[in-house]
Amino acid sequence: MLFTRKIGAILRGKATPFQLFTGCLLGALIGFMPGFGHAPGLVVALSLLLVLLNANLLLAALVGFAAKLLSLALLPVSFAIGRGLLDGPTSGLFSALINAPVFALFGFENYTATGGLVLGAIFGAATGVTLVKLVNGFRRKMQDLGTHSTRYQAVMGKSWMRFLVFVLVGGGLKDPDYAALLNKKVGNPIRPLGAVLVILTLGLLLISYQFFAASIVTTALQTGLEKANGATVDLERAELDLSAGRMTLTGLAVADPNALDTDLFRAATLTADVSGVNLLRKRLQLDQVEIVGASTGETRRVPGRRLPSAAEPAKPIIIPDAKTLDDYLTNAKIWKERLAQVKSWLDRLHGSDAEETTGAAGESLGDRLEREAAARGYRSITADHLVQGAPILLITQIHAGGVRVAQLPEETLDVTGENLSTQPGLVPTAPSIRVTSSKDTLGFNAALGAAAAGSAPSTLAFHYRGLPVDRVAGSLVREGGTPPLAGGTLDLSGSGQFNPGPGTIDIPLDITLHDTTVSIGGRQTKLSQFTLPVGLAGPLDAPGLKVDQNQLGKIAASAGKAILQEKAKDALSEKAGGILGGFLGGKKEPESKP
């Protein structure tokens, strides 16, 4: 009964065509929005406009509910329309909005939000025009009955009928002046109480800007880190002091994409300098980031969620005279997974404009978007390639000292990163990462010049000193199960280039053995020190290994020389023992005669 009175209030009340139409239009626009998290500015602006304009709130709610249900069924259509707008002839207009202060918060880069504006406008306008025609038709009919129908006048003149109409459809006990309602097209377009509410709301937003800024920082940072990591990133709390330009993050946990039940990185607190002005452009620049209580490899309480992976890897590049990891290592699968993770990080850190537009391995923009939409849903896909001027997330310098690593129980790591961002092509200086252990056992340095605007070469350098040979010898392939190396230590060092796009490397690698026993030809000999150069080239996640045969020959020669020396020593000792025995008066046993 209450619902019929609401409908009756529309038909018999003072609602003008303007109020009916704007209520339908704004309700449909809000209903087609993918959500506050995807388009916060649009949702807030449309809601304030609904309150400010003298729109019919009941119609806005009804049409908005219907539009929300319809939008779920038409998500692919909204996405397709958004693609046509953002990647089509109007991309320049939307790119300007996406990079403009305040408008950057509206979420125009979201395909379904932009496409939803078009579908919402069509649905809302069609619904509004239809409803206005129906209401005006009803009012004309009622005006005609009240003027020319004596039977209608007789029925409506009865008290019980007027009371029944009042109970069921509301309004006064008498018929309204339908002629006056038909003549009134717009009325007051502004709702006085709504104007007051909008002013108070804007003032409240300005006063509490720092609280909203903290939410923006948390969302932008968490989204950027998840995009760079490829898996869940948890963040317990973010505090932002705009007056001091200081941000503090608590409870940061980065899930390992290849082992979702463990954390790739975890930190108790993270502090950084931040500028609140960039937040109006939905940009987050962090300076002088310091991390305390960092660790890696710890078990997660709740397993993470992996984001969609990059495009299928390119076909293996064949290096002449080179062998794959499978030819050398029994646990090559594990190493491939680790190298694939490193490649994924480097690919994401490069994140060039070409890759954002075409995808990995020549994947078209349309194919990449469809693949990501199938994995994450249409509402989560954004046109990041339209971001210009500055990246959404930029960390100019980050430092983590005393990082605990299970593989180095007696050491800690010192990690430093510079110019890390979601769009490195918008930063003039190349992103770089440096990792050093406390005793310099481990070192890693990556300078990804190809990712920056300057397009310098990308280089990789690393070393691992004092690695026990016995720890890795069991993984070497050898028939019969006998490791070819035993004892001593092994040093690894390499420096070369990384080629983004195909994700290939070309790194000369030096393997140095110290006091290691080598098995050759069924015999064992100990080498005090020997360096073997190895060519490491091809895809980073499946590189080819090219060993210099001349160097292998030198190892064999060195081992053989030692074996010959050992044999000569044994023979000489045997003969010398006989001579010495004769000198001391010893006698030989008489030969037995047949």
Side-chain angles (χ1 to χ4, degrees), residues 227-456:
K227 181 179 178 180
N229 180 52
T232 300
V233 174
D234 296 324
L235 187 58
E236 291 182 4
R237 186 174 68 255
E239 298 177 358
L240 181 63
D241 185 353
L242 290 179
S243 59
R246 195 69 173 168
M247 183 190 70
T248 302
L249 304 181
T250 305
L252 177 64
V254 181
D256 188 342
N258 292 327
L260 296 174
D261 57 344
T262 61
D263 278 331
L264 189 65
F265 178 78
R266 186 181 295 182
T269 60
L270 181 150
T271 57
D273 296 332
V274 62
S275 172
V277 177
N278 289 331
L279 297 179
L280 293 177
R281 299 179 62 236
K282 204 164 70 174
R283 303 294 196 272
L284 179 59
Q285 178 174 332
L286 304 180
D287 302 317
Q288 301 298 326
V289 181
E290 288 291 335
I291 301 176
V292 178
S295 63
T296 181
E298 296 191 37
T299 302
R300 292 177 58 88
R301 183 174 58 85
V302 178
R305 179 180 59 87
R306 186 172 185 175
L307 273 63
S309 59
E312 293 297 325
K315 293 182 179 180
I317 299 176
I318 305 301
I319 309 297
D321 301 327
K323 295 185 178 182
T324 65
L325 289 175
D326 302 271
D327 297 320
Y328 288 98
L329 304 178
T330 58
N331 57 355
K333 181 179 179 181
I334 299 176
W335 279 100
K336 285 182 178 180
E337 291 177 352
R338 294 173 179 173
L339 292 174
Q341 179 63 66
V342 175
K343 180 178 180 297
S344 175
W345 293 338
L346 295 176
D347 288 340
R348 294 177 186 277
L349 285 174
H350 273 87
S352 62
D353 294 338
E355 289 174 359
E356 290 290 339
T357 303
T358 62
E363 185 183 25
S364 68
L365 174 62
D367 292 340
R368 177 176 67 84
L369 293 177
E370 289 294 339
R371 172 176 55 82
E372 293 182 353
R376 290 190 292 164
Y378 288 106
R379 288 180 291 186
S380 301
I381 310 304
T382 56
D384 292 337
H385 57 280
L386 295 183
V387 176
Q388 299 174 357
I392 295 176
L393 172 63
L394 172 62
I395 302 176
T396 58
Q397 187 176 51
I398 183 171
H399 177 260
V403 180
R404 303 185 304 276
V405 182
Q407 289 78 6
L408 294 173
E410 298 181 357
E411 297 186 61
T412 58
L413 298 182
D414 187 89
V415 182
T416 301
E418 296 180 350
N419 303 305
L420 307 179
S421 68
T422 52
Q423 287 90 10
L426 302 177
V427 183
T429 309
S432 63
I433 298 178
R434 295 186 301 276
V435 181
T436 306
S437 64
S438 55
K439 298 180 181 179
D440 200 26
T441 299
L442 174 67
F444 177 82
N445 191 345
L448 310 180
S455 297

Side-chain angles (χ1 to χ4, degrees), residues 523-542:
R523 296 187 62 97
Q524 296 181 341
T525 184
K526 189 173 185 179
L527 300 178
S528 59
Q529 179 174 328
F530 195 91
T531 300
L532 175 65
V534 175
L536 194 62
L540 179 57
D541 53 352

